[in-house]
Amino acid sequence: MKVGIIGLGSMGGGAARACVAAGLVTQGHDIAEAAMRAFAAEGGQAAATPGALAAQCDAVAVYVLNADQTEAALFDSGAAAAARPGTVFLLCATMPPARATAIAERLVGMGHLALDAPVSGGAAKARAGALTIMASGSEAAFARASVMLDAMAAQVFRLGPEPGMASRMKIVNQHLAGIHIAAAAEALTQAIALGMDPAQVIEVIADCAGTSWMFENRGPHIAQGDYTPLSAVEIWLKDLAIVVDIATEVGLDPVLARAALARFRAAAEAGFGREDDAAVAKVYARAAGLALPGVA
Amino acid sequence: MKVGIIGLGSMGGGAARACVAAGLVTQGHDIAEAAMRAFAAEGGQAAATPGALAAQCDAVAVYVLNADQTEAALFDSGAAAAARPGTVFLLCATMPPARATAIAERLVGMGHLALDAPVSGGAAKARAGALTIMASGSEAAFARASVMLDAMAAQVFRLGPEPGMASRMKIVNQHLAGIHIAAAAEALTQAIALGMDPAQVIEVIADCAGTSWMFENRGPHIAQGDYTPLSAVEIWLKDLAIVVDIATEVGLDPVLARAALARFRAAAEAGFGREDDAAVAKVYARAAGLALPGVA
């Protein structure tokens, strides 16, 4: 079993290393040379192009930013054309369900298998092979992808036979996660403004009903003033926009998602788009003339 | 050691039963006769008035709705006047920190001890004696209250020597918790509108980065259509208003807290104020013409 990963960023790079750690021959490709060199230094094989990678692999996971990049990586680059028939492609980027469906259909039309397979868990869990993967697709796609899924995930939810079903679940996850990051930033900024120690706030609230996965994960970034981008502000411009679009289609007004999106947009406009998404706290702090830990 | 609890609602009633289960002689008082009869049937002692209760107890916890009710229970009712000097009073309601400080000072002025002691964890944990208690006050107050704290809580955070410090932490908790309930309602309503099974959504998201304590606790109320009020919509009108007031004092604009407050206000205006706070989902559903599980 030979596996490949296109996109060696914080999630894909982590997942690729988890595949190596699981004993799989793992090829990796990234548009950034440095990411490929780093991967090769840790037991992976660098592939010069997506096509070269796909031609040699039984299962290929695509860890890029969105649907457009997924199409570019698979079709414009020649990866899908170069792959042997029956190769399974895992679509791991967050995208509108309809796009996942369309990409999967195009792959199937080329004689391949496709799994809609967005992930959750963050960079640390990606590297540990402990992601949660929401997956939907044919039995054949699941069967062919199972070794790779096991290497990357602690938990795989099988959400049905049709690509798109898993992406729909991922959108619900992003809906909540995006609001929770902005809420964590808002509440921690307020706590700091009240003279509280953010590290103590995180410790206490983690044990209370106000906690969230994002509060516990991103809160420490704010408390420590570390905005190294594991997941960047600009990702939420994309993902919350998908949430709002889908809500509008079904006649709902997602007021909290819209409010969170506006905060991330303000953060991007203030120049924090490439920083860790916890930098949305800086928008609150600036408006209040408040100094955050570690922020000049 | 004799302990007393004023206010036998879902939190106070649960905490009172936890004190009984811990082997403490426990008096309870509530303005509702039925709540006292139910408590007496489960091993507690019903006290006819707050004064009668306080006169016989070493430690008295006040589990009412807010600062005004706490003052009424302690001062207007004669409880503080009837208590023996050195009785410790635990202020368990959510209230503005300045009000907790003022009430504690008034108790100390009467020769008593006071602990600012708001709680978190919900009705089930209250009954199990497994609350998280955020507490601040003098060493003497902590020492006198310790048996009762141990009976009610799995975790007691000692947040400093001054009453008000614990209430400040509780406000941060409510800030997050209120947003998270509204977010859970928004995202689950959207999932239902997309044809997804809410029970499956809860199972999957609980394992993903989009989860929160409130999502996992209140989500099932929406999935099962059970709006029995363990914590009512109207509580958030009060608590989120405190959050917004305090934010304004420190120059912050808590846009998400304001958005969540507006949702709870809409739910109350639609007649759901006394229902479980998960009923905020009905506001989203009505506007979209969507049927929620179990809602006619």
Side-chain angles (χ1 to χ4, degrees):
Chain A
M1 181 86 184
K2 236 182 174 175
V3 304
I5 292 196
I6 301 175
L8 299 172
S10 65
M11 298 300 289
R17 284 159 177 83
C19 289
V20 171
L24 302 177
V25 176
T26 308
Q27 297 224 335
H29 175 77
D30 198 279
I31 49 173
E33 283 281 346
M36 280 202 284
R37 278 197 302 273
F39 180 53
E42 293 181 54
Q45 301 178 355
T49 67
L53 179 147
Q56 296 182 59
C57 291
D58 304 295
V60 177
V62 186
Y63 277 91
V64 293
L65 189 64
N66 56 22
D68 286 348
Q69 288 188 8
T70 300
E71 287 186 337
L74 289 175
F75 305 119
D76 304 350
S77 75
R84 292 177 304 236
T87 300
V88 63
F89 287 91
L90 288 74
L91 312 178
C92 299
T94 300
M95 65 181 84
R99 299 289 299 275
T101 304
I103 293 170
E105 282 174 0
R106 189 166 167 190
L107 287 165
V108 169
M110 295 171 79
H112 300 306
L113 297 165
L115 209 57
D116 182 16
V119 307
S120 182
K125 286 199 171 173
R127 186 173 274 262
L131 289 169
T132 296
I133 302 188
M134 293 154 267
S136 65
S138 65
E139 284 292 332
F142 271 108
R144 189 117 181 104
S146 68
V147 170
M148 191 175 197
L149 288 170
D150 289 347
M152 299 191 295
Q155 175 80 268
V156 178
F157 287 103
R158 293 181 66 141
L159 299 175
E162 289 157 29
M165 300 175 100
S167 281
R168 204 169 56 172
M169 186 69 79
K170 178 66 188 286
I171 294 303
V172 177
N173 185 70
Q174 298 307 87
H175 190 159
L176 291 157
I179 294 168
H180 294 170
I181 293 168
E186 181 175 300
L188 275 174
T189 307
Q190 182 153 335
I192 291 166
L194 290 169
M196 301 171 78
D197 169 10
Q200 186 184 52
V201 172
I202 293 164
E203 182 199 356
V204 174
I205 299 296
D207 202 57
C208 291
T211 199
S212 71
W213 195 99
M214 281 296 177
F215 178 80
E216 294 181 40
N217 188 271
R218 304 301 207 269
H221 300 181
I222 297 169
Q224 294 154 19
D226 181 358
Y227 298 95
T228 308
L230 297 175
S231 168
V233 163
E234 61 190 12
I235 286 178
W236 297 99
L237 302 185
K238 166 184 78 76
D239 288 5
L240 286 172
I242 296 173
V243 169
V244 172
D245 282 350
I246 289 177
T248 307
E249 284 170 25
V250 294
L252 281 163
D253 182 9
V255 290
L256 289 167
R258 284 197 292 103
L261 175 57
R263 292 273 90 176
F264 287 110
R265 198 172 282 137
E269 284 165 3
F272 309 132
R274 299 284 172 98
E275 293 192 19
D276 188 77
D277 48 32
V280 71
K282 296 182 182 179
V283 174
Y284 287 98
R286 277 196 177 182
L290 179 74
L292 292 175
V295 178
Chain B
M1 181 86 184
K2 235 181 173 175
V3 304
I5 293 195
I6 300 175
L8 299 172
S10 64
M11 297 300 288
R17 285 159 177 83
C19 288
V20 171
L24 302 176
V25 177
T26 309
Q27 297 224 337
H29 175 76
D30 197 280
I31 49 172
E33 284 281 346
M36 282 202 284
R37 277 197 302 273
F39 180 53
E42 294 181 54
Q45 300 178 356
T49 66
L53 180 148
Q56 298 181 57
C57 291
D58 305 293
V60 177
V62 186
Y63 277 92
V64 293
L65 188 65
N66 55 22
D68 286 350
Q69 288 190 7
T70 301
E71 288 185 337
L74 289 175
F75 306 119
D76 304 349
S77 76
R84 293 176 306 238
T87 300
V88 63
F89 288 91
L90 288 73
L91 312 177
C92 299
T94 301
M95 64 182 85
R99 298 291 298 277
T101 304
I103 293 170
E105 281 174 0
R106 190 165 167 191
L107 287 165
V108 169
M110 296 170 78
H112 300 308
L113 298 165
L115 209 58
D116 181 16
V119 307
S120 182
K125 286 199 173 174
R127 187 173 272 263
L131 289 170
T132 296
I133 302 188
M134 293 153 267
S136 65
S138 66
E139 284 292 332
F142 271 107
R144 191 117 180 102
S146 67
V147 171
M148 191 174 197
L149 288 170
D150 289 347
M152 298 192 296
Q155 175 81 268
V156 178
F157 287 104
R158 293 182 67 142
L159 299 175
E162 289 157 28
M165 300 174 98
S167 282
R168 204 171 55 173
M169 186 69 79
K170 179 67 189 282
I171 295 303
V172 177
N173 185 69
Q174 298 307 87
H175 190 158
L176 291 158
I179 294 168
H180 293 170
I181 293 168
E186 181 175 301
L188 276 175
T189 307
Q190 182 154 336
I192 292 165
L194 291 169
M196 301 171 78
D197 169 10
Q200 186 184 52
V201 172
I202 293 164
E203 183 199 356
V204 174
I205 299 297
D207 201 59
C208 291
T211 198
S212 71
W213 195 100
M214 281 297 176
F215 178 81
E216 294 181 40
N217 189 271
R218 303 301 206 270
H221 300 182
I222 298 169
Q224 294 154 19
D226 181 358
Y227 298 95
T228 308
L230 297 175
S231 170
V233 163
E234 61 190 12
I235 287 178
W236 296 100
L237 302 185
K238 166 183 80 75
D239 288 5
L240 286 172
I242 296 173
V243 169
V244 171
D245 283 350
I246 290 177
T248 307
E249 284 170 24
V250 295
L252 280 163
D253 182 8
V255 291
L256 288 167
R258 285 196 292 103
L261 175 56
R263 293 273 89 176
F264 287 111
R265 198 172 282 136
E269 284 165 3
F272 310 131
R274 297 284 172 97
E275 294 191 19
D276 187 77
D277 49 31
V280 71
K282 296 182 183 180
V283 175
Y284 287 98
R286 277 196 178 185
L290 179 74
L292 292 176
V295 177

